[in-house]
Short mmCIF file of all heavy atoms in Angstrom, two decimals:
data_model
loop_
_atom_site.label_atom_id
_atom_site.label_comp_id
_atom_site.label_asym_id
_atom_site.label_seq_id
_atom_site.Cartn_x
_atom_site.Cartn_y
_atom_site.Cartn_z
N MET X 117 92.99 115.50 148.34
CA MET X 117 93.23 115.14 149.74
C MET X 117 92.19 115.87 150.60
O MET X 117 91.83 117.01 150.33
CB MET X 117 94.67 115.51 150.11
CG MET X 117 95.01 115.53 151.57
SD MET X 117 95.35 114.03 152.49
CE MET X 117 96.44 113.10 151.52
N PHE X 118 91.77 115.22 151.63
CA PHE X 118 90.80 115.79 152.58
C PHE X 118 91.38 117.01 153.27
O PHE X 118 92.54 117.03 153.65
CB PHE X 118 90.45 114.72 153.61
CG PHE X 118 89.51 115.20 154.67
CD1 PHE X 118 88.16 115.31 154.42
CD2 PHE X 118 89.98 115.55 155.93
CE1 PHE X 118 87.29 115.76 155.41
CE2 PHE X 118 89.14 116.00 156.92
CZ PHE X 118 87.78 116.10 156.66
N ASP X 119 90.55 118.05 153.42
CA ASP X 119 90.96 119.28 154.11
C ASP X 119 89.81 119.70 155.03
O ASP X 119 88.79 120.20 154.56
CB ASP X 119 91.28 120.38 153.10
CG ASP X 119 91.77 121.66 153.75
OD1 ASP X 119 91.86 121.72 155.00
OD2 ASP X 119 92.04 122.62 153.02
N LEU X 120 90.01 119.48 156.32
CA LEU X 120 88.97 119.78 157.30
C LEU X 120 88.57 121.25 157.28
O LEU X 120 87.41 121.58 157.55
CB LEU X 120 89.43 119.38 158.70
CG LEU X 120 88.40 119.53 159.82
CD1 LEU X 120 87.21 118.61 159.58
CD2 LEU X 120 89.02 119.25 161.17
N SER X 121 89.48 122.13 156.91
CA SER X 121 89.18 123.57 156.95
C SER X 121 88.06 123.95 155.98
O SER X 121 87.42 124.98 156.13
CB SER X 121 90.42 124.40 156.65
OG SER X 121 90.82 124.25 155.31
N GLN X 122 87.79 123.10 154.98
CA GLN X 122 86.74 123.40 154.00
C GLN X 122 85.37 122.86 154.40
O GLN X 122 84.38 123.12 153.71
CB GLN X 122 87.14 122.85 152.63
CG GLN X 122 88.41 123.49 152.08
CD GLN X 122 88.34 125.01 152.07
OE1 GLN X 122 87.39 125.59 151.56
NE2 GLN X 122 89.34 125.66 152.64
N GLU X 123 85.31 122.13 155.50
CA GLU X 123 84.03 121.61 155.98
C GLU X 123 83.18 122.77 156.48
O GLU X 123 83.68 123.72 157.06
CB GLU X 123 84.23 120.58 157.08
CG GLU X 123 84.88 119.31 156.58
CD GLU X 123 84.05 118.61 155.52
OE1 GLU X 123 82.84 118.37 155.74
OE2 GLU X 123 84.62 118.31 154.46
N LYS X 124 81.88 122.65 156.28
CA LYS X 124 80.96 123.73 156.66
C LYS X 124 80.20 123.38 157.93
O LYS X 124 79.90 122.21 158.18
CB LYS X 124 79.99 123.99 155.52
CG LYS X 124 80.70 124.53 154.29
CD LYS X 124 79.73 124.86 153.19
CE LYS X 124 80.45 125.64 152.13
NZ LYS X 124 80.80 124.94 150.97
N ILE X 125 79.93 124.40 158.71
CA ILE X 125 79.12 124.24 159.92
C ILE X 125 78.01 125.28 159.88
O ILE X 125 78.15 126.34 159.27
CB ILE X 125 79.95 124.38 161.21
CG1 ILE X 125 80.65 125.74 161.29
CG2 ILE X 125 80.95 123.25 161.33
CD1 ILE X 125 81.30 126.02 162.62
N ASP X 126 76.91 124.94 160.50
CA ASP X 126 75.76 125.84 160.58
C ASP X 126 75.63 126.38 161.99
O ASP X 126 75.91 125.67 162.95
CB ASP X 126 74.47 125.09 160.21
CG ASP X 126 74.48 124.58 158.78
OD1 ASP X 126 74.93 125.33 157.89
OD2 ASP X 126 74.04 123.44 158.56
N PHE X 127 75.20 127.63 162.09
CA PHE X 127 74.92 128.22 163.40
C PHE X 127 73.85 129.29 163.21
O PHE X 127 73.61 129.77 162.11
CB PHE X 127 76.18 128.82 164.03
CG PHE X 127 76.66 130.07 163.35
CD1 PHE X 127 76.30 131.32 163.84
CD2 PHE X 127 77.44 130.00 162.22
CE1 PHE X 127 76.72 132.47 163.21
CE2 PHE X 127 77.87 131.14 161.59
CZ PHE X 127 77.51 132.39 162.08
N ASN X 128 73.20 129.63 164.29
CA ASN X 128 72.14 130.63 164.25
C ASN X 128 72.69 132.00 164.63
O ASN X 128 73.50 132.13 165.54
CB ASN X 128 70.99 130.26 165.18
CG ASN X 128 70.29 129.01 164.72
OD1 ASN X 128 70.21 128.73 163.54
ND2 ASN X 128 69.79 128.24 165.66
N CYS X 129 72.21 133.02 163.94
CA CYS X 129 72.61 134.40 164.23
C CYS X 129 72.20 134.75 165.66
O CYS X 129 71.06 134.48 166.06
CB CYS X 129 71.93 135.35 163.25
SG CYS X 129 72.19 137.09 163.60
N PRO X 130 73.10 135.35 166.42
CA PRO X 130 72.75 135.73 167.80
C PRO X 130 71.70 136.85 167.86
O PRO X 130 71.04 137.01 168.88
CB PRO X 130 74.07 136.19 168.40
CG PRO X 130 74.98 136.47 167.26
CD PRO X 130 74.50 135.65 166.11
N ASP X 131 71.52 137.60 166.76
CA ASP X 131 70.54 138.69 166.76
C ASP X 131 69.15 138.24 166.29
O ASP X 131 68.17 138.46 166.97
CB ASP X 131 71.02 139.85 165.88
CG ASP X 131 72.19 140.59 166.50
OD1 ASP X 131 72.31 140.60 167.74
OD2 ASP X 131 72.99 141.15 165.73
N CYS X 132 69.10 137.59 165.11
CA CYS X 132 67.79 137.26 164.54
C CYS X 132 67.45 135.78 164.58
O CYS X 132 66.31 135.39 164.32
CB CYS X 132 67.70 137.77 163.09
SG CYS X 132 68.71 136.83 161.91
N GLY X 133 68.43 134.93 164.88
CA GLY X 133 68.19 133.50 164.97
C GLY X 133 68.22 132.78 163.65
O GLY X 133 68.03 131.57 163.60
N ARG X 134 68.46 133.47 162.55
CA ARG X 134 68.48 132.86 161.23
C ARG X 134 69.73 131.98 161.08
O ARG X 134 70.80 132.31 161.58
CB ARG X 134 68.48 133.96 160.17
CG ARG X 134 68.55 133.50 158.73
CD ARG X 134 67.14 133.31 158.16
NE ARG X 134 67.19 132.82 156.82
CZ ARG X 134 66.99 133.55 155.74
NH1 ARG X 134 66.72 134.83 155.84
NH2 ARG X 134 67.04 133.01 154.55
N GLY X 135 69.59 130.88 160.37
CA GLY X 135 70.70 129.97 160.15
C GLY X 135 71.73 130.55 159.19
O GLY X 135 71.38 131.17 158.19
N ASN X 136 72.99 130.37 159.51
CA ASN X 136 74.10 130.80 158.68
C ASN X 136 75.07 129.63 158.54
O ASN X 136 75.13 128.76 159.41
CB ASN X 136 74.84 131.98 159.31
CG ASN X 136 74.02 133.25 159.29
OD1 ASN X 136 74.10 134.02 158.35
ND2 ASN X 136 73.22 133.47 160.32
N ARG X 137 75.84 129.62 157.46
CA ARG X 137 76.80 128.55 157.21
C ARG X 137 78.17 129.17 156.96
O ARG X 137 78.30 130.11 156.19
CB ARG X 137 76.36 127.73 156.01
CG ARG X 137 77.31 126.59 155.67
CD ARG X 137 76.75 125.72 154.62
NE ARG X 137 75.81 124.83 155.31
CZ ARG X 137 75.25 123.78 154.78
NH1 ARG X 137 75.49 123.47 153.53
NH2 ARG X 137 74.44 123.02 155.49
N VAL X 138 79.18 128.61 157.62
CA VAL X 138 80.56 129.06 157.44
C VAL X 138 81.47 127.84 157.35
O VAL X 138 81.09 126.74 157.76
CB VAL X 138 81.03 129.97 158.61
CG1 VAL X 138 80.24 131.25 158.66
CG2 VAL X 138 80.99 129.25 159.94
N THR X 139 82.67 128.05 156.85
CA THR X 139 83.67 126.98 156.85
C THR X 139 84.45 127.03 158.16
O THR X 139 84.50 128.08 158.83
CB THR X 139 84.66 127.12 155.68
OG1 THR X 139 85.41 128.33 155.85
CG2 THR X 139 83.96 127.10 154.33
N LEU X 140 85.05 125.92 158.50
CA LEU X 140 85.89 125.90 159.70
C LEU X 140 87.09 126.84 159.53
O LEU X 140 87.58 127.39 160.51
CB LEU X 140 86.36 124.48 160.00
CG LEU X 140 85.28 123.56 160.56
CD1 LEU X 140 85.82 122.14 160.71
CD2 LEU X 140 84.75 124.07 161.88
N LYS X 141 87.54 127.05 158.30
CA LYS X 141 88.63 128.00 158.05
C LYS X 141 88.20 129.40 158.45
O LYS X 141 88.98 130.15 159.04
CB LYS X 141 89.06 127.97 156.59
CG LYS X 141 90.20 128.93 156.29
CD LYS X 141 90.68 128.82 154.87
CE LYS X 141 91.80 129.72 154.46
NZ LYS X 141 92.31 130.69 155.36
N GLN X 142 86.96 129.78 158.13
CA GLN X 142 86.47 131.10 158.53
C GLN X 142 86.48 131.25 160.05
O GLN X 142 86.81 132.31 160.57
CB GLN X 142 85.07 131.35 157.98
CG GLN X 142 85.04 131.60 156.49
CD GLN X 142 83.62 131.71 155.98
OE1 GLN X 142 82.88 130.73 156.00
NE2 GLN X 142 83.24 132.90 155.55
N VAL X 143 86.11 130.18 160.74
CA VAL X 143 86.14 130.23 162.21
C VAL X 143 87.57 130.36 162.69
O VAL X 143 87.89 131.21 163.53
CB VAL X 143 85.47 128.97 162.82
CG1 VAL X 143 85.61 128.97 164.34
CG2 VAL X 143 84.01 128.89 162.42
N ALA X 144 88.47 129.52 162.17
CA ALA X 144 89.88 129.56 162.58
C ALA X 144 90.51 130.92 162.29
O ALA X 144 91.34 131.40 163.06
CB ALA X 144 90.66 128.45 161.89
N ASP X 145 90.10 131.55 161.19
CA ASP X 145 90.63 132.87 160.82
C ASP X 145 89.91 134.01 161.55
O ASP X 145 90.27 135.16 161.37
CB ASP X 145 90.50 133.09 159.32
CG ASP X 145 91.43 132.20 158.51
OD1 ASP X 145 92.37 131.63 159.09
OD2 ASP X 145 91.20 132.07 157.29
N GLN X 146 88.90 133.65 162.35
CA GLN X 146 88.10 134.63 163.09
C GLN X 146 87.55 135.70 162.15
O GLN X 146 87.64 136.90 162.41
CB GLN X 146 88.90 135.24 164.24
CG GLN X 146 89.34 134.18 165.24
CD GLN X 146 89.95 134.73 166.48
OE1 GLN X 146 89.21 134.99 167.43
NE2 GLN X 146 91.26 134.93 166.51
N ALA X 147 86.98 135.22 161.05
CA ALA X 147 86.44 136.11 160.02
C ALA X 147 85.18 136.83 160.50
O ALA X 147 84.55 136.44 161.49
CB ALA X 147 86.11 135.29 158.77
N THR X 148 84.85 137.86 159.79
CA THR X 148 83.59 138.57 160.00
C THR X 148 82.67 138.20 158.85
O THR X 148 83.06 138.28 157.68
CB THR X 148 83.81 140.10 160.00
OG1 THR X 148 84.73 140.42 161.04
CG2 THR X 148 82.51 140.84 160.21
N ILE X 149 81.46 137.76 159.17
CA ILE X 149 80.50 137.42 158.13
C ILE X 149 79.27 138.31 158.29
O ILE X 149 79.08 138.94 159.33
CB ILE X 149 80.11 135.93 158.16
CG1 ILE X 149 79.35 135.59 159.44
CG2 ILE X 149 81.33 135.05 158.00
CD1 ILE X 149 78.52 134.34 159.32
N ILE X 150 78.46 138.32 157.27
CA ILE X 150 77.21 139.07 157.29
C ILE X 150 76.07 138.06 157.38
O ILE X 150 75.99 137.12 156.58
CB ILE X 150 77.05 139.93 156.02
CG1 ILE X 150 78.25 140.85 155.81
CG2 ILE X 150 75.74 140.70 156.05
CD1 ILE X 150 78.44 141.88 156.89
N CYS X 151 75.18 138.23 158.35
CA CYS X 151 74.04 137.33 158.53
C CYS X 151 73.17 137.36 157.27
O CYS X 151 72.88 138.43 156.73
CB CYS X 151 73.21 137.75 159.75
SG CYS X 151 71.70 136.77 159.96
N VAL X 152 72.72 136.17 156.85
CA VAL X 152 71.87 136.09 155.67
C VAL X 152 70.47 136.61 155.94
O VAL X 152 69.74 136.93 155.01
CB VAL X 152 71.80 134.64 155.12
CG1 VAL X 152 73.15 134.16 154.65
CG2 VAL X 152 71.21 133.68 156.14
N GLY X 153 70.11 136.74 157.21
CA GLY X 153 68.78 137.22 157.56
C GLY X 153 68.73 138.71 157.82
O GLY X 153 68.15 139.49 157.05
N CYS X 154 69.39 139.15 158.88
CA CYS X 154 69.29 140.54 159.32
C CYS X 154 70.41 141.43 158.79
O CYS X 154 70.40 142.64 159.01
CB CYS X 154 69.24 140.61 160.84
SG CYS X 154 70.76 140.06 161.67
N ARG X 155 71.40 140.83 158.09
CA ARG X 155 72.53 141.57 157.50
C ARG X 155 73.46 142.21 158.52
O ARG X 155 74.27 143.06 158.19
CB ARG X 155 72.03 142.64 156.51
CG ARG X 155 71.05 142.15 155.45
CD ARG X 155 71.59 141.15 154.49
NE ARG X 155 72.68 141.74 153.70
CZ ARG X 155 73.58 141.04 153.04
NH1 ARG X 155 73.54 139.74 153.07
NH2 ARG X 155 74.54 141.62 152.37
N GLU X 156 73.37 141.79 159.78
CA GLU X 156 74.29 142.28 160.81
C GLU X 156 75.63 141.56 160.67
O GLU X 156 75.69 140.42 160.22
CB GLU X 156 73.73 142.02 162.21
CG GLU X 156 72.60 142.93 162.61
CD GLU X 156 73.02 144.39 162.76
OE1 GLU X 156 74.10 144.65 163.32
OE2 GLU X 156 72.26 145.25 162.28
N ARG X 157 76.68 142.24 161.09
CA ARG X 157 78.00 141.62 161.09
C ARG X 157 78.10 140.65 162.26
O ARG X 157 77.69 140.97 163.37
CB ARG X 157 79.09 142.68 161.23
CG ARG X 157 79.23 143.55 160.03
CD ARG X 157 80.30 144.61 160.27
NE ARG X 157 80.29 145.58 159.21
CZ ARG X 157 81.21 145.64 158.25
NH1 ARG X 157 82.21 144.80 158.26
NH2 ARG X 157 81.12 146.54 157.30
N ILE X 158 78.68 139.50 161.98
CA ILE X 158 78.92 138.50 163.02
C ILE X 158 80.42 138.27 163.04
O ILE X 158 81.03 137.90 162.03
CB ILE X 158 78.18 137.19 162.73
CG1 ILE X 158 76.68 137.42 162.65
CG2 ILE X 158 78.52 136.13 163.80
CD1 ILE X 158 75.89 136.21 162.18
N TYR X 159 81.03 138.51 164.19
CA TYR X 159 82.46 138.33 164.37
C TYR X 159 82.72 136.94 164.93
O TYR X 159 82.38 136.67 166.08
CB TYR X 159 83.02 139.41 165.30
CG TYR X 159 82.76 140.80 164.78
CD1 TYR X 159 81.65 141.54 165.20
CD2 TYR X 159 83.62 141.37 163.84
CE1 TYR X 159 81.40 142.81 164.70
CE2 TYR X 159 83.37 142.65 163.34
CZ TYR X 159 82.27 143.36 163.77
OH TYR X 159 82.03 144.62 163.27
N LEU X 160 83.27 136.07 164.11
CA LEU X 160 83.54 134.70 164.54
C LEU X 160 84.73 134.68 165.49
O LEU X 160 85.70 135.41 165.29
CB LEU X 160 83.80 133.81 163.33
CG LEU X 160 82.67 133.74 162.30
CD1 LEU X 160 83.11 132.91 161.10
CD2 LEU X 160 81.40 133.18 162.92
N LYS X 161 84.65 133.84 166.49
CA LYS X 161 85.70 133.77 167.52
C LYS X 161 86.17 132.32 167.64
O LYS X 161 85.36 131.41 167.79
CB LYS X 161 85.13 134.27 168.85
CG LYS X 161 86.09 134.24 169.99
CD LYS X 161 87.03 135.40 169.91
CE LYS X 161 87.87 135.43 171.18
NZ LYS X 161 89.10 136.14 171.00
N ASP X 162 87.47 132.12 167.58
CA ASP X 162 88.08 130.81 167.78
C ASP X 162 88.75 130.82 169.15
O ASP X 162 89.96 131.02 169.26
CB ASP X 162 89.09 130.52 166.67
CG ASP X 162 89.71 129.13 166.78
OD1 ASP X 162 89.19 128.31 167.56
OD2 ASP X 162 90.72 128.88 166.09
N SER X 163 87.96 130.63 170.16
CA SER X 163 88.46 130.70 171.54
C SER X 163 89.60 129.72 171.76
O SER X 163 89.44 128.52 171.55
CB SER X 163 87.33 130.41 172.53
OG SER X 163 86.34 131.38 172.43
N GLY X 164 90.72 130.25 172.15
CA GLY X 164 91.88 129.41 172.45
C GLY X 164 92.50 128.76 171.23
O GLY X 164 93.35 127.88 171.37
N GLY X 165 92.06 129.13 170.04
CA GLY X 165 92.61 128.53 168.82
C GLY X 165 92.22 127.09 168.61
O GLY X 165 92.88 126.35 167.88
N SER X 166 91.12 126.66 169.23
CA SER X 166 90.73 125.25 169.16
C SER X 166 90.37 124.79 167.74
O SER X 166 90.70 123.67 167.36
CB SER X 166 89.60 124.95 170.12
OG SER X 166 88.45 125.72 169.81
N ALA X 167 89.72 125.65 166.97
CA ALA X 167 89.37 125.27 165.59
C ALA X 167 90.63 125.11 164.76
O ALA X 167 90.80 124.12 164.04
CB ALA X 167 88.43 126.29 164.97
N ARG X 168 91.53 126.08 164.86
CA ARG X 168 92.78 126.01 164.08
C ARG X 168 93.60 124.78 164.47
O ARG X 168 94.11 124.06 163.62
CB ARG X 168 93.61 127.28 164.29
CG ARG X 168 94.91 127.26 163.48
CD ARG X 168 95.60 128.59 163.42
NE ARG X 168 94.78 129.67 162.95
CZ ARG X 168 94.45 129.91 161.67
NH1 ARG X 168 94.89 129.08 160.74
NH2 ARG X 168 93.71 130.92 161.33
N LYS X 169 93.69 124.50 165.76
CA LYS X 169 94.45 123.35 166.24
C LYS X 169 93.84 122.04 165.72
O LYS X 169 94.55 121.16 165.25
CB LYS X 169 94.49 123.34 167.76
CG LYS X 169 95.29 122.21 168.35
CD LYS X 169 95.31 122.27 169.87
CE LYS X 169 96.07 121.09 170.44
NZ LYS X 169 96.02 121.03 171.88
N THR X 170 92.53 121.94 165.80
CA THR X 170 91.85 120.73 165.33
C THR X 170 92.03 120.54 163.83
O THR X 170 92.28 119.42 163.37
CB THR X 170 90.36 120.78 165.69
OG1 THR X 170 90.24 120.88 167.11
CG2 THR X 170 89.62 119.56 165.19
N ILE X 171 91.92 121.62 163.06
CA ILE X 171 92.13 121.54 161.62
C ILE X 171 93.53 121.03 161.33
O ILE X 171 93.72 120.09 160.54
CB ILE X 171 91.90 122.92 160.95
CG1 ILE X 171 90.42 123.28 160.97
CG2 ILE X 171 92.45 122.93 159.52
CD1 ILE X 171 90.14 124.74 160.61
N ASN X 172 94.53 121.64 161.95
CA ASN X 172 95.93 121.25 161.70
C ASN X 172 96.19 119.80 162.09
O ASN X 172 96.82 119.05 161.33
CB ASN X 172 96.88 122.18 162.44
CG ASN X 172 96.90 123.57 161.85
OD1 ASN X 172 96.53 123.78 160.70
ND2 ASN X 172 97.31 124.54 162.64
N GLU X 173 95.72 119.39 163.25
CA GLU X 173 95.96 118.02 163.72
C GLU X 173 95.25 117.00 162.84
O GLU X 173 95.83 115.95 162.51
CB GLU X 173 95.51 117.87 165.17
CG GLU X 173 96.41 118.58 166.16
CD GLU X 173 95.90 118.54 167.59
OE1 GLU X 173 94.78 118.03 167.83
OE2 GLU X 173 96.63 119.02 168.47
N THR X 174 94.02 117.29 162.45
CA THR X 174 93.25 116.36 161.62
C THR X 174 93.85 116.25 160.23
O THR X 174 94.01 115.15 159.69
CB THR X 174 91.78 116.78 161.54
OG1 THR X 174 91.25 116.84 162.86
CG2 THR X 174 90.97 115.81 160.71
N ASN X 175 94.20 117.38 159.63
CA ASN X 175 94.81 117.35 158.30
C ASN X 175 96.15 116.60 158.33
O ASN X 175 96.45 115.86 157.40
CB ASN X 175 94.98 118.76 157.75
CG ASN X 175 93.66 119.35 157.28
OD1 ASN X 175 92.68 118.66 157.11
ND2 ASN X 175 93.66 120.65 157.08
N LYS X 176 96.93 116.78 159.38
CA LYS X 176 98.21 116.06 159.50
C LYS X 176 97.95 114.55 159.62
O LYS X 176 98.65 113.75 159.00
CB LYS X 176 99.01 116.54 160.70
CG LYS X 176 100.37 115.85 160.81
CD LYS X 176 101.16 116.30 162.01
CE LYS X 176 102.50 115.61 162.14
NZ LYS X 176 102.57 114.21 161.86
N ALA X 177 96.95 114.17 160.40
CA ALA X 177 96.64 112.75 160.56
C ALA X 177 96.24 112.13 159.22
O ALA X 177 96.67 111.02 158.90
CB ALA X 177 95.52 112.57 161.59
N PHE X 178 95.44 112.84 158.43
CA PHE X 178 95.05 112.32 157.12
C PHE X 178 96.25 112.24 156.17
O PHE X 178 96.38 111.30 155.40
CB PHE X 178 93.93 113.16 156.50
CG PHE X 178 92.56 112.70 156.90
CD1 PHE X 178 91.88 113.32 157.92
CD2 PHE X 178 91.96 111.62 156.25
CE1 PHE X 178 90.62 112.89 158.30
CE2 PHE X 178 90.70 111.18 156.63
CZ PHE X 178 90.03 111.81 157.65
N LYS X 179 97.14 113.21 156.24
CA LYS X 179 98.34 113.20 155.41
C LYS X 179 99.23 112.03 155.79
O LYS X 179 99.74 111.32 154.92
CB LYS X 179 99.10 114.51 155.56
CG LYS X 179 100.31 114.61 154.67
CD LYS X 179 101.01 115.95 154.82
CE LYS X 179 102.27 115.99 153.99
NZ LYS X 179 103.02 117.22 154.18
N ASP X 180 99.39 111.80 157.10
CA ASP X 180 100.20 110.67 157.57
C ASP X 180 99.58 109.34 157.16
O ASP X 180 100.29 108.41 156.75
CB ASP X 180 100.36 110.72 159.09
CG ASP X 180 101.21 111.88 159.56
OD1 ASP X 180 101.88 112.55 158.73
OD2 ASP X 180 101.20 112.17 160.79
N LEU X 181 98.26 109.24 157.25
CA LEU X 181 97.57 108.02 156.83
C LEU X 181 97.77 107.78 155.34
O LEU X 181 98.04 106.66 154.91
CB LEU X 181 96.08 108.12 157.17
CG LEU X 181 95.21 106.96 156.70
CD1 LEU X 181 95.64 105.66 157.37
CD2 LEU X 181 93.74 107.25 156.99
N ASP X 182 97.64 108.83 154.55
CA ASP X 182 97.83 108.72 153.11
C ASP X 182 99.24 108.23 152.79
O ASP X 182 99.44 107.33 151.97
CB ASP X 182 97.56 110.07 152.44
CG ASP X 182 97.61 109.99 150.93
OD1 ASP X 182 96.91 109.15 150.35
OD2 ASP X 182 98.36 110.79 150.33
N SER X 183 100.24 108.79 153.48
CA SER X 183 101.64 108.37 153.28
C SER X 183 101.83 106.91 153.67
O SER X 183 102.50 106.15 152.93
CB SER X 183 102.58 109.24 154.10
OG SER X 183 102.55 110.56 153.63
N ALA X 184 101.26 106.51 154.78
CA ALA X 184 101.40 105.12 155.22
C ALA X 184 100.74 104.15 154.24
O ALA X 184 101.29 103.09 153.95
CB ALA X 184 100.78 104.96 156.63
N LEU X 185 99.59 104.51 153.74
CA LEU X 185 98.90 103.64 152.78
C LEU X 185 99.68 103.52 151.47
O LEU X 185 99.72 102.45 150.86
CB LEU X 185 97.48 104.16 152.51
CG LEU X 185 96.51 104.02 153.68
CD1 LEU X 185 95.19 104.70 153.36
CD2 LEU X 185 96.28 102.55 154.03
N LYS X 186 100.30 104.63 151.06
CA LYS X 186 101.10 104.58 149.84
C LYS X 186 102.32 103.68 150.03
O LYS X 186 102.67 102.90 149.13
CB LYS X 186 101.54 105.99 149.43
CG LYS X 186 100.42 106.79 148.82
CD LYS X 186 100.88 108.18 148.46
CE LYS X 186 99.70 108.97 147.87
NZ LYS X 186 100.04 110.37 147.62
N LYS X 187 102.96 103.74 151.20
CA LYS X 187 104.11 102.89 151.49
C LYS X 187 103.68 101.43 151.55
O LYS X 187 104.39 100.53 151.09
CB LYS X 187 104.77 103.29 152.80
CG LYS X 187 105.54 104.57 152.72
CD LYS X 187 106.15 104.92 154.07
CE LYS X 187 106.82 106.29 154.01
NZ LYS X 187 107.33 106.71 155.31
N PHE X 188 102.52 101.18 152.14
CA PHE X 188 102.00 99.82 152.31
C PHE X 188 101.69 99.18 150.95
O PHE X 188 101.90 97.99 150.76
CB PHE X 188 100.76 99.86 153.19
CG PHE X 188 100.15 98.51 153.43
CD1 PHE X 188 100.78 97.59 154.26
CD2 PHE X 188 98.96 98.15 152.83
CE1 PHE X 188 100.24 96.35 154.50
CE2 PHE X 188 98.40 96.91 153.07
CZ PHE X 188 99.05 96.01 153.90
N SER X 189 101.22 99.99 150.01
CA SER X 189 100.81 99.44 148.72
C SER X 189 101.96 99.22 147.75
O SER X 189 101.77 98.69 146.67
CB SER X 189 99.76 100.35 148.07
OG SER X 189 100.33 101.60 147.75
N ARG X 190 103.18 99.59 148.13
CA ARG X 190 104.34 99.40 147.23
C ARG X 190 104.76 97.97 147.15
O ARG X 190 104.74 97.11 147.84
CB ARG X 190 105.53 100.23 147.71
CG ARG X 190 105.30 101.69 147.49
CD ARG X 190 106.53 102.45 147.90
NE ARG X 190 106.17 103.87 148.04
CZ ARG X 190 106.95 104.77 148.52
NH1 ARG X 190 108.14 104.45 148.98
NH2 ARG X 190 106.59 106.01 148.61
#
């Protein structure tokens, strides 16, 4: 089943500008990552819980769609 939290996003380090990749789950969990370029800690912020809310709503929509399709195919 599709899980939006496992999707990856790219962003640039605020210190060195090097590209980094994280999952949406890491953003929702407000994880701390280490920049692949300068090795500085980057504290991810989910302002207002928008990433977590979007993950939950999208995953629920896919689950509901899956259930509806299974009922339709019976």
Side-chain angles (χ1 to χ4, degrees):
M117 166 79 46
F118 177 78
D119 182 0
L120 185 63
S121 69
Q122 297 307 310
E123 293 299 309
K124 295 183 169 103
I125 58 171
D126 297 318
F127 71 96
N128 294 329
C129 173
D131 290 332
C132 72
R134 178 91 183 258
N136 290 270
R137 179 172 280 191
V138 296
T139 64
L140 287 175
K141 180 176 180 356
Q142 287 175 293
V143 175
D145 291 344
Q146 300 189 89
T148 300
I149 66 159
I150 305 296
C151 175
V152 297
C154 66
R155 310 295 297 161
E156 286 294 318
R157 291 178 189 255
I158 300 172
Y159 301 96
L160 301 176
K161 180 78 173 157
D162 183 13
S163 297
S166 61
R168 181 167 306 283
K169 182 179 177 185
T170 300
I171 290 168
N172 290 339
E173 289 175 355
T174 302
N175 285 345
K176 183 182 180 318
F178 272 99
K179 183 178 177 184
D180 292 348
L181 176 62
D182 186 54
S183 294
L185 290 174
K186 285 179 181 175
K187 287 179 185 176
F188 180 72
S189 66
R190 289 184 196 172

